[in-house]
């Protein structure tokens, strides 16, 4: 009975997947439309010219550069902090490890707006001016959990006796880390890092509260969504954003696929 | 080599390793100090300063924050207009959660039980991509779809069903002048954006149900529906609850979706945004943000009792 | 070569919170010995092994390895190697690199260490597997790799933690013989943890029987089987009729606990003790009888070709006086 799926289930699952994917594909069509004042369907004609227009736009480039910079540095911080937490939690039993897990998950368990406002009011209170670093601070906070989840899952798979075996064979703690732990968690860290990057690159809610005058790419898009001014350029940017997040996600999947489906469960 | 204890003049690193090995507690401290400082001090500290402000109030004349302990701001939450916002958000979160669960189940079940090999990978990526792809782009896509000149209206007109759509839009509450400014539009986008968060934990839970249980149920004479009702659903419940934590919490706190697609009536997230921004009433914004925290606290507590965390 | 003490436990205890995993253990393992630590799970035998390896530290007491106190010496400084219960092969390294790992850490050049690793693989009859990953090997093959990986470092003491536990019966018996031969060939002290009394009896020179964190008896397999010092050992090592003091007293012996092995009970026609045969079961090479003598249930193993009277009839049984072993403790 478990080799053939009932037709009803097949259709329902197929429709569900279509519901998830068709809207995004629609944007790809709109990126080529000749209509620039409305969202007219079907598009009256197709053109490549908006890609050229978007290419010339310095505000798009600046927003993209800022987003890339923020995402890279937040990912780096999240990698360090998330791995440390995961190692501590999975290697040792200590009082309060439940608390640590909770603490790590809290920034994404709570609605983003709360994290955003809390950070904003703390910055105000401490007289910290908004800057590149205030954005990074916010992003790293919620990126930790993504790295943490990936690393914890891998540490769990990494049997404790492997580390003992390494020490038993003469390797000290650093050698054990270098020759046994790191090679075994590297792909999980890479996957976690890519997902953290995608998460940061896309984040808008917390960023609106911590960004001040600068705009990341999502902030730029949000402004376009609230007050559409250049629809064709927005279409092109949307396509770009989709492509930029798709690649790390697929890469992360291939890095963690053997028997482990933990990659996205932390978001 | 006579000694069984190797002591070939250890390097500095090796001596540090010896020290670390003899003092595991200190190693733990060193590992945790940065994360705990970051999350425990910076993040929790920020949350605390926000929450503390909810116990202050705003001076009605000067518009300045009065730094005196009071519950006055919380009382303001129960003003009919604000209570409306809270109840509207709760109702939306509940509906979105239910719809996501219904839509997610067949996908998750198919992926967990029937998809094999390449199809399994495709299903997985097919769920992960929408999960991780840009939140704003997803909303933007629906703006395109729901626009008056957009694809959905075109579809209804082409099928000569535009009359039906107009009848639907004329309905109270769910209707509106067009789909993109109706609760229906908001609801659709919420479901669309959060659906993958329901599928993943549900799939994880379903994958843990051994197929022998379903065979046993069929063997004992249960129909497919009875097996679904009495075996599959109870065992998938922790996954459903885990998924609902996401869909519920994310809907409670979102302020961008209803702002872009929906009627002008506020949701909690928008109220928080407005109070802290244009209205400049930080205490009320803080009090508003306590609402989803409290609701999610209760929800998580209930979920934990139902054992949902094993499916996360 | 003069015999010296390889591993010495002096009043060693290890507590986990309130639980005494190892309780004031004294033990001396001789150089070149094949030593087994036998006991039920949770009896402290594995903790003792981990204390020797250095993964655990004694809460009180002292451990010496070849006369040197090893308190505070991390595992990577001890010339002791371990074969882990789950083998703990590094999944990211191939077999050759797994075996050469210890030599690589010691900074031995590639050519020399690969040569030594190949030789070690030869020793465990696994040449030709060098390039494979651990996941591509069967359980028995992984077990051999784990053995080679430990032996290539020429340890002073080799620790084996239930190394045959995960293998099926046939393979286990084969590995028992190979391990024993290997130990004789190399002359390295083997310390072997097992819960399988048959395994301990067939392989070890001496056995320490553990229960609840304490060593109950240390002896050669023969002595352990013939002269258990307590009902626990009598029951745990082989099966036995453990006879209470009152019963023993009625036989005209001192009122002490005693052990009588089932195979030592014989059926005779006359001049024995008169017992009731309750039931019998066919075991292949023997019949197992359930008897009652003086209200005490006894089990006996008799050769399968012996004709048996019907159940619930009276039979005469006897045994050699020397087979009834009086035990010191309860």
């Amino acid at each position: 009975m478990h080799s053939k799926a009932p037709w009803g289930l097949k259709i329902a699952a197929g429709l569900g997947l279509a519901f998830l994917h068709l809207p995004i594909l629609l944007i790809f069509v709109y990126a080529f439309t000749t209509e620039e004042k409305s969202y007219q369907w079907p598009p009256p004609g197709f053109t490549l010219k908006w890609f050229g227009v978007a290419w010339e736009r310095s505000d798009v480039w600046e927003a993209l550069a800022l987003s890339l910079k923020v995402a890279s540095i937040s990912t780096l911080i999240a990698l360090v902090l998330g791995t440390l937490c995961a190692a501590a939690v999975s290697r040792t039993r200590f009082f309060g490890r439940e608390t640590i897990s909770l603490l790590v998950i809290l920034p994404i368990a709570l609605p983003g707006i709360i994290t955003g406002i809390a950070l904003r009011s703390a910055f105000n209170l401490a007289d910290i001016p908004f800057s590149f670093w205030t954005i990074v601070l916010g992003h790293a906070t919620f990126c930790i959990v993504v790295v943490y989840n990936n690393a914890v899952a891998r540490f769990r798979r990494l049997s404790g006796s492997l580390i003992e075996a390494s020490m038993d064979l003469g390797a000290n703690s650093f050698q054990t880390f270098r020759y046994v732990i790191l090679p075994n968690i590297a792909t999980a860290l890479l996957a976690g890092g890519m997902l953290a990057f995608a998460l940061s690159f896309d984040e808008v809610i917390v960023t609106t509260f911590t960004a001040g005058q600068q705009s990341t790419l999502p902030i730029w898009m949000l402004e376009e969504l609230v007050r559409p001014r250049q629809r064709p350029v927005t279409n092109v940017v949307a396509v770009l954003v989709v492509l930029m997040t798709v690649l790390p996600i697929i890469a992360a999947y291939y890095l963690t696929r053997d028997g482990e489906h933990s990659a996205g469960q932390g978001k | 080599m006579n000694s069984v204890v190797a002591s070939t003049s250890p390097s500095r690193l090796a001596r540090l390793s010896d020290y670390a090995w003899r003092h595991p507690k200190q190693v733990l401290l060193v590992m945790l100090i940065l994360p705990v400082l970051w999350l425990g001090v910076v993040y929790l500290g920020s949350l605390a300063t926000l929450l503390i402000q909810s116990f202050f109030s705003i001076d009605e004349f000067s518009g300045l924050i009065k730094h005196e302990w009071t519950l006055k701001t919380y009382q303001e939450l129960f003003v009919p207009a604000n209570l409306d916002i809270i109840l509207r958000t709760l109702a939306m979160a509940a509906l979105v959660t239910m719809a996501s669960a219904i839509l997610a189940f067949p996908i998750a079940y198919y992926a967990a039980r029937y998809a094999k090999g390449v199809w399994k990978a495709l299903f997985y990526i097919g769920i992960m991509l929408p999960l991780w792809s840009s939140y704003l782009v997803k909303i933007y896509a629906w703006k395109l779809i729901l626009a008056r000149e957009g694809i959905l209206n075109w579809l209804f007109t082409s099928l000569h069903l535009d009359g039906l759509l107009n009848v639907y839009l004329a309905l109270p509450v769910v209707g509106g002048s067009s789909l993109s400014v109706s609760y229906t539009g908001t609801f659709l986008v919420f479901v669309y954006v959060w659906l993958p968060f329901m599928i993943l934990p549900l799939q994880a839970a379903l994958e843990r149900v051994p197929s022998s249980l379903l065979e046993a149920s069929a063997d004992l004479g249960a129909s497919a529906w009875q097996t679904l009702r009495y075996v599959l659903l109870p065992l998938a419940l922790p996954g459903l609850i885990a998924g609902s934590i996401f869909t519920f919490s994310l809907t409670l706190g979102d302020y961008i979706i209803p702002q872009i697609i929906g009627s002008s009536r506020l949701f909690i997230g928008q109220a928080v945004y407005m109070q802290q921004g244009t209205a400049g009433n930080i205490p009320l914004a803080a009090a508003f943000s306590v609402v989803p925290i409290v609701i999610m606290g209760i929800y998580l507590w209930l979920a934990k009792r139902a054992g949902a965390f094993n499916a996360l | 070569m003069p015999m010296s003490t390889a591993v010495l436990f002096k009043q060693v205890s290890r507590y986990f919170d309130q639980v005494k995993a190892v309780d004031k253990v004294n033990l001396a393992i001789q150089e070149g010995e094949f030593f087994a630590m036998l006991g039920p799970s949770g009896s402290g035998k594995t903790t003792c092994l981990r204390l020797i390896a250095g993964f655990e530290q004694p809460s009180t007491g002292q451990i010496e390895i070849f006369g040197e106190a090893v308190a505070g010496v991390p595992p990577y400084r001890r010339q002791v190697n371990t074969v882990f219960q789950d083998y703990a092969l590094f999944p990211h390294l191939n077999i050759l690199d797994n075996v050469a790992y210890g030599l690589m850490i010691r900074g031995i050049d590639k050519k020399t260490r690969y040569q030594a690793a190949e030789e070690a693989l030869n020793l465990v009859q696994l040449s030709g597997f060098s390039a494979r990953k651990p996941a591509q090997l069967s359980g028995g093959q992984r077990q051999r790799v784990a053995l080679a990986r430990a032996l290539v470092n020429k340890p002073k003491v080799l620790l084996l933690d239930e190394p045959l536990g995960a293998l099926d019966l046939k393979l286990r018996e084969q590995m028992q013989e190979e391990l024993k031969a290997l130990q004789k060939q190399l002359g390295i002290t083997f310390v072997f943890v097992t819960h399988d009394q048959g395994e301990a009896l067939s392989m070890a020179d001496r056995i320490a029987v553990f229960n609840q964190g304490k060593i109950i008896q240390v002896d050669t397999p023969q002595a352990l089987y013939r002269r258990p010092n307590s009902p626990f050992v009598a029951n745990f090592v082989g099966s036995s009729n453990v006879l209470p003091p009152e019963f023993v007293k009625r036989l005209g012996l001192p009122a002490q606990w005693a052990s009588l092995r089932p195979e030592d009970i014989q059926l005779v026609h006359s001049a024995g003790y008169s017992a009731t045969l309750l039931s019998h079961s066919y075991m292949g090479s023997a019949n197992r009888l359930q008897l009652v003598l003086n209200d005490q249930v006894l089990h006996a193993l008799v050769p399968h070709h012996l004709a048996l009277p019907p159940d619930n009839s009276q039979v005469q049984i006897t045994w050699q006086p020397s087979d009834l072993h009086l035990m010191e403790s309860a």
Side-chain angles (χ1 to χ4, degrees), chain B residues 18-269:
Chain B
D18 290 6
Y19 181 85
W21 184 81
R22 284 183 198 118
H23 302 89
K25 287 217 173 97
Q26 292 172 29
V27 173
L28 196 63
L29 194 72
V30 168
M31 284 168 97
L32 284 174
I33 192 138
L34 272 177
V36 166
L37 271 181
W38 187 289
L39 291 170
V41 179
V42 176
Y43 180 66
L44 282 189
S46 307
L47 276 184
T49 51
L50 177 70
L51 295 187
I52 286 169
Q53 304 212 42
S54 68
F55 293 100
F56 297 151
S57 64
I58 202 127
D59 190 292
E60 279 147 42
F61 300 106
S62 63
L64 293 174
I65 295 169
K66 281 196 293 189
H67 292 268
E68 282 166 28
W69 299 108
T70 172
L71 286 174
K72 196 175 137 237
T73 312
Y74 279 101
Q75 283 168 5
E76 252 179 86
L77 281 184
F78 295 95
V79 168
N82 291 339
L83 203 58
D84 249 17
I85 295 177
I86 295 172
L87 293 178
R88 179 181 304 128
T89 312
L90 271 175
M92 179 61 85
L95 283 174
V96 167
T97 299
M98 275 189 278
S100 306
I102 292 167
L103 279 177
F105 196 87
I107 303 178
Y109 188 54
Y110 193 93
R113 184 151 313 276
Y114 295 105
K116 294 269 167 336
V118 180
W119 279 104
K120 183 123 195 153
L122 281 179
F123 251 90
Y124 189 70
I125 293 180
I127 297 160
M128 291 299 287
L129 275 185
L131 173 73
W132 286 92
S133 63
S134 172
Y135 163 80
L136 283 174
V137 168
K138 282 187 276 190
I139 303 173
Y140 184 61
W142 280 89
K143 199 172 163 124
L144 302 179
I145 292 170
L146 297 176
R148 203 182 295 275
E149 69 279 13
I151 188 168
L152 207 62
N153 269 308
W154 171 81
L155 205 66
F156 274 105
T157 318
S158 315
L159 297 171
H160 304 289
L161 292 172
D162 40 342
L164 202 65
L165 181 64
N166 287 332
V167 169
Y168 181 83
L169 286 176
L171 292 175
V173 186
V174 296
S177 69
S178 86
L179 275 176
S180 60
V181 292
S182 68
Y183 281 138
T184 308
T186 319
F187 168 80
L188 273 174
V189 181
F190 269 134
V191 172
Y192 175 73
V193 175
W194 307 142
L195 181 58
F197 292 89
M198 178 63 92
I199 299 176
L200 276 178
L202 194 54
Q203 186 188 341
L206 285 170
E207 255 164 18
R208 270 182 249 166
V209 179
S211 59
S212 59
L213 286 190
L214 307 183
E215 283 158 12
S217 169
D219 184 63
L220 294 168
S223 70
W225 282 111
Q226 285 169 321
T227 301
L228 179 75
R229 168 70 187 78
Y230 295 110
V231 180
L232 210 50
L233 277 183
L235 288 171
L237 197 63
L240 267 177
I241 295 175
S244 72
I245 291 171
F246 288 118
T247 54
F248 205 83
S249 156
L250 290 166
T251 310
L252 277 187
D254 196 275
Y255 74 97
I256 289 182
I257 292 174
Q259 182 190 357
I260 290 168
I261 298 192
S263 69
S264 53
R265 271 164 256 143
L266 299 182
F267 283 76
I268 290 179

Side-chain angles (χ1 to χ4, degrees), chain C residues 125-171:
Chain C
Q125 295 155 35
L126 258 192
S127 33
F129 287 82
S130 302
R132 298 210 199 167
K133 286 283 177 73
Q136 296 167 292
L137 263 52
S138 71
Q141 289 167 334
R142 280 182 225 176
Q143 212 271 325
R144 286 159 191 267
V145 176
L147 196 58
R149 186 179 66 175
L151 286 174
V152 77
N153 302 291
K154 305 211 172 1
K156 293 279 177 104
V157 180
L158 183 73
L159 307 175
L160 302 107
D161 185 8
E162 303 256 4
L164 309 180
L167 305 181
D168 60 49
L169 186 64
K170 266 257 152 52
L171 204 54

Side-chain angles (χ1 to χ4, degrees), chain A residues 8-267:
Chain A
L9 178 66
K10 250 185 191 168
I11 292 166
L15 285 179
L17 278 186
F19 173 65
L20 281 175
H21 288 269
L22 288 182
I24 295 179
L25 291 179
L26 194 68
I27 296 176
F28 281 76
V29 180
Y30 270 105
F32 298 95
T33 182
T34 48
E35 168 66 38
E36 59 179 295
K37 293 280 173 267
S38 75
Y39 300 123
Q40 189 191 335
W41 186 271
F46 293 97
T47 173
L48 281 172
K49 84 168 178 190
W50 303 120
F51 286 85
V53 173
W55 183 268
E56 300 292 325
R57 289 284 296 267
S58 64
D59 57 337
V60 173
W61 281 109
E62 278 160 28
L64 178 65
L66 180 66
S67 279
L68 288 177
K69 244 165 60 183
V70 168
S72 311
I73 294 180
S74 309
T75 301
L76 221 62
I77 296 173
L79 271 176
V80 173
L81 298 186
T83 311
L84 282 175
C85 271
V89 165
S90 46
R91 277 283 140 255
T92 27
R93 313 194 144 269
F94 60 93
F95 176 73
R97 49 184 275 171
E98 297 273 313
T99 318
I100 297 281
S101 310
L102 186 69
L103 200 58
V104 170
I105 291 164
L106 206 57
I108 51 153
L110 289 180
I113 189 165
I114 294 177
T115 301
I117 293 188
L119 287 175
R120 186 188 185 93
S121 63
F123 292 150
N124 281 336
L125 221 64
D127 265 331
I128 300 171
F130 294 114
S131 70
F132 171 76
W133 290 105
T134 53
I135 305 178
V136 168
L137 194 95
H139 282 206
T141 305
F142 58 74
C143 282
I144 293 175
V145 68
V146 185
V147 176
Y148 172 84
N149 272 9
N150 271 272
V152 155
R154 188 61 66 88
F155 272 125
R156 207 177 288 148
R157 260 199 327 170
L158 187 71
S159 103
S161 58
L162 280 189
I163 288 159
E164 287 183 349
S166 170
M167 291 202 146
D168 186 72
L169 293 165
N172 64 36
S173 316
F174 299 102
Q175 289 168 320
T176 299
F177 181 77
R178 159 82 181 75
Y179 294 114
V180 175
I181 300 176
L182 199 56
N184 276 297
I185 63 167
T187 51
L189 290 190
L190 201 57
M194 287 189 174
L195 294 175
F197 188 92
L199 189 60
S200 164
F201 187 75
D202 179 43
E203 213 292 329
V204 63
I205 295 187
V206 176
T207 320
T208 46
F209 294 99
T210 56
Q213 296 304 312
Q214 311 186 63
S215 43
T216 60
L217 204 57
I219 298 263
W220 184 92
M221 272 213 64
L222 181 61
E223 277 159 16
E224 282 305 310
L225 273 173
V226 179
R227 279 177 293 279
R229 275 169 306 187
Q230 40 257 307
R231 292 163 205 244
V233 177
T234 312
N235 292 335
V236 171
V237 171
V239 166
L240 177 84
V241 169
V242 169
L243 292 179
M244 288 218 41
T245 37
V246 163
L247 295 177
I249 293 157
I250 292 182
Y253 168 71
Y254 277 100
L255 287 170
T256 52
R257 70 179 157 163
D258 24 299
E260 174 181 7
H261 287 251
S262 69
Q265 283 163 28
K267 187 168 173 183

Side-chain angles (χ1 to χ4, degrees), chain C residues 275-279 290 309-315:
Chain C
T276 312
L277 172 63
L278 277 188
S279 65
Q290 201 185 6
D311 289 354
N312 295 317
S313 58
Q314 290 297 114
V315 292

Side-chain angles (χ1 to χ4, degrees), chain B residues 1-11 13-22, chain C residues 54-57 65-66 68-80 106 156:
Chain B
M1 211 183 290
N2 285 322
S3 173
V4 284
V5 177
S7 56
T8 42
S9 64
S11 69
L13 215 55
R15 263 178 289 157
L16 187 60
S17 167
D18 290 6
Y19 181 85
W21 184 81
R22 284 183 198 118
Chain C
F55 304 135
E56 305 281 352
Q57 290 291 306
I65 300 177
F66 284 93
E68 278 180 78
V70 290
V73 177
Y76 50 87
R77 295 204 181 289
R78 301 183 183 201
Q79 267 191 294
V80 167
R106 270 196 257 159
K156 293 279 177 104

Side-chain angles (χ1 to χ4, degrees), chain C residues 49-88:
Chain C
L49 197 81
R50 294 170 58 80
L51 283 164
I52 303 173
F55 304 135
E56 305 281 352
Q57 290 291 306
S59 305
T60 63
Q62 199 182 11
I63 297 172
E64 289 175 10
I65 300 177
F66 284 93
E68 278 180 78
V70 290
V73 177
Y76 50 87
R77 295 204 181 289
R78 301 183 183 201
Q79 267 191 294
V80 167
N81 288 112
T82 307
V83 175
F84 289 83
Q85 184 169 18
D86 62 354
Y87 315 137

